Structures are given as structure tokens and as C-alpha cells.
Amino acid sequence: MADEIFRTIVVPADEQAEAQAIAAEYPGGAGMFTTACSPTGDLPATDYISSGLMSVEIVDALAEGLTDEDISEDPPFVALERLGLKLVTE
């Protein structure tokens, strides 16, 4: 079993599909980056967030494969506040 660590990862909307494809290559990575965020909490989404325990391999692959991600040990709402984002509510 792969080592797991807690991370919160925020990716820009234009990198969402790439982030999902990278994560899906690893066990437990399918279904990541479906939670939309924006500065106002309204659509359109500017970013997507995934947070929780994930494999070190996923974190490393995302860090290597993306150009504008935010990877932190922050709890999700702390990361969102730091980045000036809110969850999108429809």
C-alpha cells in the first residue's frame, strides 16, 4: 500500500481535466477535483479543490505535471481563505 499524506490541492479550472487525468492514473485518484471554487462562490468556477488523505505518488505526480497548482498541508477552508476562494454553491 502506498504511503498516504494529508494534502489540500487547488488547481485552476483550465488545469482541472489534466489534474483529474494525472490523479486517475493512481489508486484512489479517480474522482478528484470535482469541487468548484471561485472568488465569489458563484459560477463560473475558477478553481477546483481536493483535500484529504492521498498517496504520496499522486501528490508528487500532480506537483510535477501541473504548472499552477497550490499544494499545502492546510485544512481545506484555510487554503481557500488564503487563496481568496469560496466553494461554489449552485
Side-chain angles (χ1 to χ4, degrees):
M1 176 176 229
D3 290 336
E4 290 188 331
I5 54 175
F6 177 88
R7 291 293 182 268
T8 296
I9 305 176
V10 180
V11 299
D14 63 356
E15 289 191 345
Q16 178 200 21
E18 184 177 0
Q20 289 176 317
I22 291 169
E25 293 178 17
Y26 299 89
M32 293 180 70
F33 304 108
T34 60
T35 304
C37 316
S38 73
T40 63
D42 295 324
L43 290 173
T46 58
D47 298 88
Y48 287 83
I49 188 171
S50 280
S51 184
L53 288 176
M54 56 190 78
S55 73
V56 172
E57 291 83 4
I58 291 173
V59 175
D60 290 347
L62 290 167
E64 183 178 312
L66 301 176
T67 58
D68 197 24
E69 77 287 349
D70 181 86
I71 300 175
S72 72
E73 296 178 21
D74 293 340
F77 288 101
V78 171
L80 290 172
E81 184 175 336
R82 177 174 50 76
L83 296 169
L85 297 171
K86 299 176 182 177
L87 295 180
V88 169
T89 56
E90 297 183 43

